[in-house]
Amino acid sequence: MSVYNFFSCGVFLSILVLLLAPTLFSLGLPGFGGCMVANSVFMFDSLSYYVLFLVLFLGIYSIFCLNWFLNAHTVLFLFMSLFFSCLCFCANHALLFWVYYELSMLPLLYLIFRDSPYSERFIAGWYFSVYLLVTSLPLILILLYLSYLNGTFFILAWEGDLVSFYVYVALSFIFFTKVPLMPFHTWLPIVHAEATSIVSIYLSGYIMKLGLLGVYRCSSFLFNGGLWLYLFVCCVFSVCFIITASTELDGKRWLAFLSLAHIMVAFLGFFVCGVELMPLVFLFCLGHGLSAGLVFGFLWLFYDVTNSRNWLLLKAGVSSNSLMFIVIFGLLSLCSFPPTLQFFCEVGLVSQTSFSLVGTLFWCLYLFFGGLVPLVLCGHVLIRSEGVEYSGYNMYCYIFYFFYLIVWCYLGIILL
């Protein structure tokens, strides 16, 4: 079965990417280019280029490599979320954008209620559904209002000076609930703690990027001169999230708090990057999604091995060299260790904020604590770990999944 998975999934997808990339380049979409191909309904720019790679990698690799642990009903809903997410990232029509935006999250919400084995899944599910459904109606109303005033449903044709500044601010904050940014961040650790691992992979992998997508598509001009105070508050809280993560023993809640801090880098990039450097933000989103999928994946494996998500007990699952390397590469990817995609993106963003004392101070705190917390945990897991005897679990499908994500996470800057 392992040979079948390797050749039928890994090699096929690698060849597909190699064949697809030249086609995209021929359309005028180089990896760091800001070019765009668009028609009346769909657009394809650097955001779509990178995030579609993320959706395809996380979706196809996880489903094909880990289908041993997924039933047909779950796979169907996962494919629905992946399909509508791909359409959403390319949508130019306001109504279709809203439909795809909502349909990409609803299947995952259903899977939280249906598949989660944890006792508080209903509380987490209702918590997530409140953020999802309460903001759904205001979102479609604002999109219809903007379409009416601009005389078109096509987002690229909208003009920012026709509508009050506060309308766009309200629209941005609706999208901030999905990123999520402070003060709408509380649902993410709760939902991650109660969701299944595959749902957590998708939530941190690409669902968080849907909020950034909406802000960038509909109100990107706000970052030229507005919301600086909100940016400052979010930067302060992102450092607090990293410190909070250091107190968490639950592996999924720990990674959820780190994701809250890491996604702030993409939000900061909207303010400091010009049009020519904006693809750095989306490349960071690709790297962050791959890293989150990798770490949630090995937490899934260790849960099967040790029947615990507690970091004090997970170290008992490090019973071989292969698992040790997975832990090292996974946790180092959270540190933006070179040559990960996040490393090169953060270097570019640091150079763009070097003129600002506040920006420099933020990067000093963020990079110090953001690197220290995963490194300390990595050392704790690896030092004096106790090997376990054979305990009846299939590790090969996980190994292929980890291998594919590690290759793209660490060598993606060369391959893309």
Side-chain angles (χ1 to χ4, degrees):
M1 183 181 67
S2 60
V3 176
Y4 170 78
N5 282 338
F6 179 81
F7 284 101
S8 64
C9 178
V11 174
F12 171 74
L13 291 176
S14 300
I15 294 175
L16 180 62
V17 169
L18 292 176
L19 293 176
L20 180 62
T23 304
L24 299 179
F25 278 97
S26 67
L27 292 174
L29 295 168
F32 287 94
C35 303
M36 178 184 298
V37 176
N39 58 28
S40 58
V41 179
F42 294 99
M43 68 179 78
F44 200 98
D45 56 3
S46 55
L47 185 152
S48 303
Y49 177 76
Y50 288 123
V51 184
L52 284 180
F53 268 112
L54 174 60
V55 174
L56 293 175
F57 287 163
L58 286 183
I60 297 178
Y61 287 158
S62 60
I63 290 177
F64 279 87
C65 294
L66 304 175
N67 57 49
W68 184 268
F69 309 99
L70 304 173
N71 58 56
H73 192 272
T74 300
V75 170
L76 174 62
F77 278 86
L78 293 177
F79 266 121
M80 289 174 57
S81 177
L82 295 170
F83 176 72
F84 288 116
S85 296
C86 291
L87 294 178
C88 184
F89 285 121
C90 300
N92 185 35
H93 193 282
L95 287 180
L96 291 178
F97 173 82
W98 177 80
V99 171
Y100 299 148
Y101 185 83
E102 299 296 329
L103 289 179
S104 62
M105 290 178 281
L106 287 176
L108 300 183
L109 174 61
Y110 171 74
L111 290 178
I112 292 175
F113 286 107
R114 181 184 182 274
D115 289 350
S116 176
Y118 305 111
S119 58
E120 297 184 359
R121 63 185 182 277
F122 293 105
I123 296 177
W126 286 116
Y127 211 85
F128 184 31
S129 61
V130 167
Y131 275 99
L132 179 63
L133 300 178
V134 169
T135 59
S136 179
L137 180 59
L139 176 59
I140 185 59
L141 291 178
I142 293 178
L143 292 178
L144 289 175
Y145 178 66
L146 293 175
S147 301
Y148 171 75
L149 292 182
N150 286 277
T152 177
F153 285 101
F154 303 132
I155 299 174
L156 286 179
W158 288 358
E159 298 179 11
D161 55 354
L162 295 178
V163 186
S164 171
F165 169 80
Y166 297 102
V167 174
Y168 283 103
V169 171
L171 179 62
S172 297
F173 274 86
I174 290 175
F175 288 120
F176 290 160
T177 62
K178 305 299 191 301
V179 175
L181 297 177
M182 195 284 304
F184 314 107
H185 62 277
T186 52
W187 67 265
L188 191 68
I190 296 174
V191 172
H192 273 308
E194 304 303 319
T196 58
S197 295
I198 189 67
V199 172
S200 294
I201 290 173
Y202 286 11
L203 283 175
S204 277
Y206 64 85
I207 292 297
M208 295 177 70
K209 282 67 177 180
L210 288 173
L212 296 175
L213 163 75
V215 173
Y216 177 73
R217 290 277 191 249
C218 302
S219 55
S220 59
F221 66 92
L222 291 179
F223 306 119
N224 295 330
L227 301 182
W228 284 102
L229 178 60
Y230 182 66
L231 172 67
F232 173 77
V233 174
C234 289
C235 288
V236 172
F237 270 84
S238 66
V239 177
C240 296
F241 289 146
I242 298 176
I243 298 175
T244 303
S246 65
T247 65
E248 287 288 342
L249 291 179
D250 187 295
K252 295 179 72 173
R253 285 180 57 88
W254 174 84
L255 187 52
F257 277 108
L258 281 188
S259 295
L260 290 173
H262 292 161
I263 204 64
M264 184 60 212
V265 175
F267 184 54
L268 176 64
F270 285 156
F271 288 85
V272 301
C273 291
V275 176
E276 66 282 355
L277 291 179
M278 192 59 69
L280 276 178
V281 177
F282 312 135
L283 185 62
F284 177 86
C285 290
L286 172 59
H288 172 265
L290 294 174
S291 176
L294 175 61
V295 178
F296 272 118
F298 82 64
L299 287 175
W300 187 359
L301 169 61
F302 283 172
Y303 178 74
D304 288 344
V305 176
T306 63
N307 294 315
S308 174
R309 297 188 334 210
N310 190 310
W311 282 114
L312 298 177
L313 302 177
L314 281 179
K315 63 187 304 178
V318 185
S319 56
S320 65
N321 290 333
S322 59
L323 290 177
M324 182 178 298
F325 283 117
I326 289 169
V327 171
I328 293 173
F329 281 108
L331 294 180
L332 287 183
S333 69
L334 295 177
C335 303
S336 300
F337 194 81
T340 58
L341 294 172
Q342 303 98 295
F343 170 78
F344 295 99
C345 298
E346 290 179 359
V347 168
L349 293 177
V350 168
S351 65
Q352 295 299 308
T353 56
S354 58
F355 63 89
S356 170
L357 178 61
V358 176
T360 303
L361 178 62
F362 163 73
W363 281 117
C364 290
L365 294 174
Y366 174 85
L367 295 176
F368 174 74
F369 287 107
L372 181 64
V373 171
L375 279 178
V376 170
L377 184 59
C378 182
H380 164 74
V381 173
L382 297 179
I383 293 176
R384 295 183 178 179
S385 60
E386 299 178 2
V388 297
E389 298 296 332
Y390 175 78
S391 57
Y393 60 91
N394 185 359
M395 194 176 70
Y396 290 104
C397 51
Y398 287 105
I399 295 297
F400 287 114
Y401 173 73
F402 298 144
F403 171 76
Y404 300 141
L405 291 190
I406 287 173
V407 168
W408 284 105
C409 188
Y410 283 88
L411 301 179
I413 195 66
I414 300 174
L415 299 175
L416 293 176

